[in-house]
Amino acid sequence: MTWETVIGLEVHVQLLTKSKMFCGCSAAFGDPPNTNVCPVCLGLPGALPVPNAQAIRLATRAALALGCTVQTRSVFARKNYFYPDLPKGYQISQFDEPLAVHGAVEFDSPERGRIRCGVTRLHVEEDAGKLIHDRFPGKTAVDLNRAGTPLAEIVSEPDIRSPAEARAYLTTLKQILVYAEVSDCSMEQGSLRVDANLSVRRAGDPNLGTKCEVKNVNSFANVERALEAERERQIALLESGGRIVQSTLLFNAGTGQVKLLRSKEESHDYRYFPDPDLPPLVLNAALVEEQRRALPELPEAKRERLVATYGLPAYDARVLASDRVIADYFEAVATGGADPKAAAHWVMGDAMTGYNETGRFPVPPARLVELIGLVARNVVSLQAAKKVFASPKMADPSAGSTAAIAESLGLTQVSDTGALGGWVDEVLTANPKEVERYRAGEAKLIAFFVGQVMKRSQGKADPKAVQPVLVARLNGG
Amino acid sequence: MNIGADGVLHVAKLAEIGLAEHELPKLVEQFNRIVDYVAQLDDVPFSAKPEPFLAGPAATPLREDVVRPIPLARPPAAFAPEFADGFFLVPRHGAMEDL
Amino acid sequence: MSVAAVAAAAVAKETGARLAKAERDGLNATLHWSQAALDAEAARVDALPPGGKLRGLAIAVKDNIVTTDAPTTCASRILEGYVSPYTATAVERLRAAGAMIACKANLDEFAMGSSTEHSAFGRVKHPLDPTRVPGGSSGGSAALVAAGVVPAALGSETGGSVRQPASFCGVVGVKPSYGRVSRFGLVAFGSSLDCISAFGTTVEDASRVLEVMSGPDPLDATTKADRPAFQAPASRTDLKGLKVGLPKEYFPADLDPGVRAGLDRAIKALRQLGAETKEVSLPYSKFAVPTYYIIAPAEAAANLARYDGVRYGLRKVGPEGDIRALYRATRGEGFGAEVRRRILIGTYVLSAGYYDAYYRKAQTVRALIAQDFKRAFASGVDLLLTPTTPTPPFKAGEKTDDPVQMYLADIFVCPVNLAGLPALSLPVGRDGGLPIGAQLIAPDFEEARMLGVAGALERVLRPAEEVR
Ligand SMILES: [Mg+2]
Ligand SMILES: [Zn+2]
């Protein structure tokens, strides 16, 4: 009898604000420790929080991007626990009245095709500080620069059925949030963090098994690995007649194993209650509408439009739509007059390589449009065009037309019979035996002669024009 | 309502308050007296549930997203119990390595 | 003592001399002060451009309101020697108006108490009888005004901590509406209840201090920006047309006879001035103390979690030597008995399985208590008059072992904090040499009405006289 895996994900993303959630300190990443701190985020006696309007706007936009219902009235609550990275001894979060509820993320499951994972809730809260354990022997160092930076917590329904699906959900969620310019979702910088809940049950069993939470995994790939490890652990335990104890585990990327942090018995009693320092958060319709308008076309819609408008294959559309910058570049080229398929080919090929290295497209769309035109008109061969594309001149507006650049690089094709004749004669004199064999009827040798001519012309000769000249000479004697 | 020493110690653990053995009996007694006293709210009669009471404004004001920290007259180093190279220091805690 | 435009330097000298004498007399009302600091305040004030509503007024500040030039300890070991790196909004406003901070005043630890016996730095003595308590938690501020050391002082209220000591000490104590004065820089106890409040020798002194402190603060999201500003009213000469409600639940049969006599005096004075009185009922007020002792400790348990020995204040580390040992030793040794009791109660009423039975229930009762006041005022009374305290000042040590008895000393004052209303205590006379106070309660943000009436009463009452 087989096992079914049930996964739910809690994702924290840092909202792209200049200042912190409840104070005017900079939310910048990477400043010297404890330099972006004030009485509020240090939790000094007498200090009080005041919410950041932009954080609320961004969280609202994220909620709309995920199709959530935005609550016009939500409530900040205190989540009480002691930890050295938590200055007030409580985190200001939201509990039974969150900012938004009932959304969904649609994505392609490696196993089940297109599926939909519900989003239970999205709420705003403040981040904790950073702890460093390896810097002072026997001590833990506390940096509160990050304490109080604004987060949106996005909690999914337990709709995910495999570790690979979890990864696909996260990839799609990140795409949406980056598109909406809500967060840069960088796991390296900690602006996106994932806690995953996993349980297993006999296939067909309507009841959920006991879940365990895997915390603080540092990449989407490791989320998948960690969940695979946890799934194996639970199945092995159950099949050996054991029972799952609800607990929190940590993934060790080195060993690929999960290890117990704490079990439910010793788990926290957070004693949530409404924060008396903060009146209810009431969103006026104008703010919500403004954020609805601020929503860009999201990846899913863009993908469908690229297929419909440009007749692209689904795969190309998905690759291009995965990143707003790439999609915009492609559309600039395609609408600039280049053949969409050729444009997609170039953007996904040579252009993408440059983009992945530098994070930007060196060649302006207009130039790529011209280059694609030159190839179409046989002025430049495809392999020559790649050289032209790679030329720094392509990024230089003062470098004249793209044709002129190709010319100056000596990469335009020669199709003029006179010029070709010279190379053809040289080739024929240099290869008497092959000429003999051709004349003796070995017609396929024509390809060899064309190749030789291309070589002598250093790729300048237009292969289509070379052949007739060769045939004429060979037959003419 | 009777909360024993273990109950009081559980609450003390949640609140991270260390209690000495000798003070426990008196504390447990007073704790119970207070809990019994406030428990009289159980039989407060009321017909209709009242309009929820809010001490402050009906809606929170919001601040614009501007970097303008409240200045500190003294840096953290001046009030921290233990501070080095810009960091607050605390004793190492086993489980913390992982979090 | 009124606010003359006398040179601040002179006021600083006189005030310093009086502070020194109070110290010699063993009042124990101050925690931090120095002549040098006073002189610096005077120099600052004398350098200000002419004007300033409180120019040259020396004010004592309860030591749970932060200032950068003296420690703010909240009378707790856990903050011993802590000097705040920022200043409370209220103090900044007072200073800008020309007031001088004379000293930081003693209090019950973290403002938790009704006798100022729960100070880690020793109890404050009653200025008229050292064997008695001045009330609390703002007992140091009240005693300093009563002893004539300063004309005005800041205290803070969570459950009557200004009106109750004002009554015990025979001075004026005014609690504003919740949201009238910024809490930024007031060390939090019960955030939904806390109010910086004012003591004065006269109604006028207290009103002017309140006026200067009042108004919305961008640093406190619970101040109310949409309300008319408070301006200290001229005291009325007669009270014709005024309707004063007398809530029958606040005049129980077993009310202390001295207090009863004091209130009769106040009622008589009101009528002489042309006011009408009318009995009203506030049936839910009798549940105020138990309600308060769920809500205030719950909020306090969270508000005092920041005293963890990590970033500032006391640090002790238990034998295990880890972070938990640091927390437990620091908080176990740093907090006094009453503070620990309240943190434990507050943690308990919020803990898993008890939230609904205690905290949620208390919120409902709080709403019922507030609704009572709304209805009473809607029934056509302009103000309410009640005793401030059920008894005159009690003996030191009388209630320290029985927390519940101590809590009941606030039975008439703490319903007002739960309802967020403005109220004051006015001295009406003495019984056996001990002051008796009457409480006036006004509708939300009607401080001016209340203070105008108090001014009129102040003129006719003779607070130094025996009430029977
Ligand atoms: Mg969270
Ligand atoms: Zn800050």
Side-chain angles (χ1 to χ4, degrees), chain A residues 253-270:
Chain A
T255 65
Q257 294 307 304
V258 290
K259 90 174 221 261
L260 182 79
L261 171 64
R262 73 180 93 83
S263 72
K264 185 85 174 78
E265 287 66 50
E266 51 202 279
S267 81
H268 302 292
D269 173 354
Y270 288 120

PDB file of all heavy atoms in Angstrom, chain A residues 253-270:
ATOM      1  N   ALA A 253      22.178  20.612   5.401  1.00  0.00           N
ATOM      2  CA  ALA A 253      22.449  20.493   3.963  1.00  0.00           C
ATOM      3  C   ALA A 253      23.671  19.613   3.725  1.00  0.00           C
ATOM      4  O   ALA A 253      23.773  18.935   2.717  1.00  0.00           O
ATOM      5  CB  ALA A 253      22.658  21.868   3.355  1.00  0.00           C
ATOM      6  N   GLY A 254      24.598  19.607   4.699  1.00  0.00           N
ATOM      7  CA  GLY A 254      25.799  18.787   4.562  1.00  0.00           C
ATOM      8  C   GLY A 254      25.457  17.307   4.514  1.00  0.00           C
ATOM      9  O   GLY A 254      25.725  16.620   3.535  1.00  0.00           O
ATOM     10  N   THR A 255      24.780  16.834   5.555  1.00  0.00           N
ATOM     11  CA  THR A 255      24.486  15.400   5.649  1.00  0.00           C
ATOM     12  C   THR A 255      23.224  15.037   4.874  1.00  0.00           C
ATOM     13  O   THR A 255      22.957  13.862   4.635  1.00  0.00           O
ATOM     14  CB  THR A 255      24.241  15.009   7.121  1.00  0.00           C
ATOM     15  OG1 THR A 255      23.048  15.703   7.555  1.00  0.00           O
ATOM     16  CG2 THR A 255      25.392  15.437   8.008  1.00  0.00           C
ATOM     17  N   GLY A 256      22.419  16.030   4.503  1.00  0.00           N
ATOM     18  CA  GLY A 256      21.158  15.743   3.821  1.00  0.00           C
ATOM     19  C   GLY A 256      20.132  15.134   4.760  1.00  0.00           C
ATOM     20  O   GLY A 256      19.120  14.602   4.334  1.00  0.00           O
ATOM     21  N   GLN A 257      20.397  15.217   6.073  1.00  0.00           N
ATOM     22  CA  GLN A 257      19.483  14.648   7.062  1.00  0.00           C
ATOM     23  C   GLN A 257      18.740  15.753   7.813  1.00  0.00           C
ATOM     24  O   GLN A 257      19.180  16.893   7.843  1.00  0.00           O
ATOM     25  CB  GLN A 257      20.264  13.788   8.059  1.00  0.00           C
ATOM     26  CG  GLN A 257      20.875  12.537   7.418  1.00  0.00           C
ATOM     27  CD  GLN A 257      19.840  11.721   6.662  1.00  0.00           C
ATOM     28  OE1 GLN A 257      18.819  11.322   7.230  1.00  0.00           O
ATOM     29  NE2 GLN A 257      20.063  11.522   5.357  1.00  0.00           N
ATOM     30  N   VAL A 258      17.589  15.373   8.405  1.00  0.00           N
ATOM     31  CA  VAL A 258      16.881  16.295   9.289  1.00  0.00           C
ATOM     32  C   VAL A 258      17.151  15.864  10.723  1.00  0.00           C
ATOM     33  O   VAL A 258      17.263  14.677  11.005  1.00  0.00           O
ATOM     34  CB  VAL A 258      15.362  16.303   9.023  1.00  0.00           C
ATOM     35  CG1 VAL A 258      15.063  16.952   7.687  1.00  0.00           C
ATOM     36  CG2 VAL A 258      14.789  14.896   9.073  1.00  0.00           C
ATOM     37  N   LYS A 259      17.257  16.873  11.618  1.00  0.00           N
ATOM     38  CA  LYS A 259      17.434  16.489  13.023  1.00  0.00           C
ATOM     39  C   LYS A 259      16.468  17.251  13.922  1.00  0.00           C
ATOM     40  O   LYS A 259      16.089  18.396  13.630  1.00  0.00           O
ATOM     41  CB  LYS A 259      18.891  16.662  13.438  1.00  0.00           C
ATOM     42  CG  LYS A 259      19.310  18.001  14.013  1.00  0.00           C
ATOM     43  CD  LYS A 259      20.769  17.891  14.504  1.00  0.00           C
ATOM     44  CE  LYS A 259      20.962  18.613  15.819  1.00  0.00           C
ATOM     45  NZ  LYS A 259      21.524  19.931  15.745  1.00  0.00           N
ATOM     46  N   LEU A 260      16.044  16.589  14.996  1.00  0.00           N
ATOM     47  CA  LEU A 260      15.008  17.128  15.871  1.00  0.00           C
ATOM     48  C   LEU A 260      15.495  18.388  16.579  1.00  0.00           C
ATOM     49  O   LEU A 260      16.601  18.414  17.117  1.00  0.00           O
ATOM     50  CB  LEU A 260      14.620  16.067  16.914  1.00  0.00           C
ATOM     51  CG  LEU A 260      13.493  16.503  17.858  1.00  0.00           C
ATOM     52  CD1 LEU A 260      12.135  16.380  17.177  1.00  0.00           C
ATOM     53  CD2 LEU A 260      13.519  15.674  19.131  1.00  0.00           C
ATOM     54  N   LEU A 261      14.677  19.454  16.534  1.00  0.00           N
ATOM     55  CA  LEU A 261      14.985  20.648  17.326  1.00  0.00           C
ATOM     56  C   LEU A 261      14.178  20.605  18.619  1.00  0.00           C
ATOM     57  O   LEU A 261      14.703  20.668  19.708  1.00  0.00           O
ATOM     58  CB  LEU A 261      14.651  21.914  16.532  1.00  0.00           C
ATOM     59  CG  LEU A 261      14.720  23.219  17.338  1.00  0.00           C
ATOM     60  CD1 LEU A 261      16.146  23.478  17.802  1.00  0.00           C
ATOM     61  CD2 LEU A 261      14.219  24.386  16.522  1.00  0.00           C
ATOM     62  N   ARG A 262      12.855  20.483  18.476  1.00  0.00           N
ATOM     63  CA  ARG A 262      12.017  20.355  19.684  1.00  0.00           C
ATOM     64  C   ARG A 262      10.730  19.627  19.326  1.00  0.00           C
ATOM     65  O   ARG A 262      10.264  19.703  18.200  1.00  0.00           O
ATOM     66  CB  ARG A 262      11.716  21.733  20.277  1.00  0.00           C
ATOM     67  CG  ARG A 262      10.722  22.565  19.498  1.00  0.00           C
ATOM     68  CD  ARG A 262      10.481  23.917  20.174  1.00  0.00           C
ATOM     69  NE  ARG A 262      11.361  24.945  19.633  1.00  0.00           N
ATOM     70  CZ  ARG A 262      11.108  25.622  18.519  1.00  0.00           C
ATOM     71  NH1 ARG A 262      10.025  25.378  17.825  1.00  0.00           N
ATOM     72  NH2 ARG A 262      11.940  26.550  18.074  1.00  0.00           N
ATOM     73  N   SER A 263      10.190  18.935  20.310  1.00  0.00           N
ATOM     74  CA  SER A 263       8.931  18.219  20.061  1.00  0.00           C
ATOM     75  C   SER A 263       7.786  19.063  20.610  1.00  0.00           C
ATOM     76  O   SER A 263       8.006  20.011  21.361  1.00  0.00           O
ATOM     77  CB  SER A 263       8.955  16.870  20.766  1.00  0.00           C
ATOM     78  OG  SER A 263       8.835  17.102  22.156  1.00  0.00           O
ATOM     79  N   LYS A 264       6.570  18.745  20.209  1.00  0.00           N
ATOM     80  CA  LYS A 264       5.391  19.538  20.555  1.00  0.00           C
ATOM     81  C   LYS A 264       5.318  19.780  22.058  1.00  0.00           C
ATOM     82  O   LYS A 264       5.026  20.884  22.498  1.00  0.00           O
ATOM     83  CB  LYS A 264       4.121  18.811  20.101  1.00  0.00           C
ATOM     84  CG  LYS A 264       2.832  19.614  20.307  1.00  0.00           C
ATOM     85  CD  LYS A 264       2.580  20.562  19.128  1.00  0.00           C
ATOM     86  CE  LYS A 264       1.230  21.253  19.267  1.00  0.00           C
ATOM     87  NZ  LYS A 264       1.304  22.363  20.242  1.00  0.00           N
ATOM     88  N   GLU A 265       5.645  18.747  22.842  1.00  0.00           N
ATOM     89  CA  GLU A 265       5.527  18.867  24.299  1.00  0.00           C
ATOM     90  C   GLU A 265       6.270  20.112  24.785  1.00  0.00           C
ATOM     91  O   GLU A 265       5.781  20.882  25.588  1.00  0.00           O
ATOM     92  CB  GLU A 265       6.109  17.618  24.986  1.00  0.00           C
ATOM     93  CG  GLU A 265       5.212  16.386  24.839  1.00  0.00           C
ATOM     94  CD  GLU A 265       5.095  15.910  23.388  1.00  0.00           C
ATOM     95  OE1 GLU A 265       6.144  15.748  22.730  1.00  0.00           O
ATOM     96  OE2 GLU A 265       3.959  15.768  22.888  1.00  0.00           O
ATOM     97  N   GLU A 266       7.479  20.327  24.221  1.00  0.00           N
ATOM     98  CA  GLU A 266       8.260  21.469  24.697  1.00  0.00           C
ATOM     99  C   GLU A 266       8.074  22.681  23.779  1.00  0.00           C
ATOM    100  O   GLU A 266       8.843  23.631  23.816  1.00  0.00           O
ATOM    101  CB  GLU A 266       9.738  21.071  24.771  1.00  0.00           C
ATOM    102  CG  GLU A 266      10.249  20.447  23.499  1.00  0.00           C
ATOM    103  CD  GLU A 266      11.501  19.583  23.727  1.00  0.00           C
ATOM    104  OE1 GLU A 266      12.593  20.144  23.813  1.00  0.00           O
ATOM    105  OE2 GLU A 266      11.344  18.346  23.818  1.00  0.00           O
ATOM    106  N   SER A 267       7.067  22.614  22.898  1.00  0.00           N
ATOM    107  CA  SER A 267       6.888  23.720  21.940  1.00  0.00           C
ATOM    108  C   SER A 267       6.299  24.938  22.665  1.00  0.00           C
ATOM    109  O   SER A 267       5.790  24.824  23.771  1.00  0.00           O
ATOM    110  CB  SER A 267       5.959  23.304  20.817  1.00  0.00           C
ATOM    111  OG  SER A 267       4.620  23.418  21.270  1.00  0.00           O
ATOM    112  N   HIS A 268       6.360  26.074  21.980  1.00  0.00           N
ATOM    113  CA  HIS A 268       6.025  27.339  22.628  1.00  0.00           C
ATOM    114  C   HIS A 268       4.529  27.500  22.904  1.00  0.00           C
ATOM    115  O   HIS A 268       3.691  26.950  22.213  1.00  0.00           O
ATOM    116  CB  HIS A 268       6.479  28.496  21.739  1.00  0.00           C
ATOM    117  CG  HIS A 268       7.943  28.483  21.443  1.00  0.00           C
ATOM    118  ND1 HIS A 268       8.894  28.721  22.414  1.00  0.00           N
ATOM    119  CD2 HIS A 268       8.627  28.256  20.305  1.00  0.00           C
ATOM    120  CE1 HIS A 268      10.091  28.650  21.878  1.00  0.00           C
ATOM    121  NE2 HIS A 268       9.962  28.355  20.598  1.00  0.00           N
ATOM    122  N   ASP A 269       4.229  28.300  23.939  1.00  0.00           N
ATOM    123  CA  ASP A 269       2.877  28.784  24.182  1.00  0.00           C
ATOM    124  C   ASP A 269       3.001  30.291  23.976  1.00  0.00           C
ATOM    125  O   ASP A 269       3.465  31.006  24.863  1.00  0.00           O
ATOM    126  CB  ASP A 269       2.467  28.434  25.621  1.00  0.00           C
ATOM    127  CG  ASP A 269       1.134  29.053  26.013  1.00  0.00           C
ATOM    128  OD1 ASP A 269       0.571  29.840  25.221  1.00  0.00           O
ATOM    129  OD2 ASP A 269       0.666  28.756  27.121  1.00  0.00           O
ATOM    130  N   TYR A 270       2.642  30.778  22.788  1.00  0.00           N
ATOM    131  CA  TYR A 270       2.982  32.147  22.390  1.00  0.00           C
ATOM    132  C   TYR A 270       2.128  33.232  23.045  1.00  0.00           C
ATOM    133  O   TYR A 270       2.436  34.407  22.952  1.00  0.00           O
ATOM    134  CB  TYR A 270       2.922  32.292  20.866  1.00  0.00           C
ATOM    135  CG  TYR A 270       4.053  31.587  20.149  1.00  0.00           C
ATOM    136  CD1 TYR A 270       3.794  30.581  19.230  1.00  0.00           C
ATOM    137  CD2 TYR A 270       5.369  31.932  20.405  1.00  0.00           C
ATOM    138  CE1 TYR A 270       4.840  29.932  18.564  1.00  0.00           C
ATOM    139  CE2 TYR A 270       6.415  31.292  19.742  1.00  0.00           C
ATOM    140  CZ  TYR A 270       6.143  30.303  18.827  1.00  0.00           C
ATOM    141  OH  TYR A 270       7.171  29.680  18.172  1.00  0.00           O
TER     142      TYR A 270
END
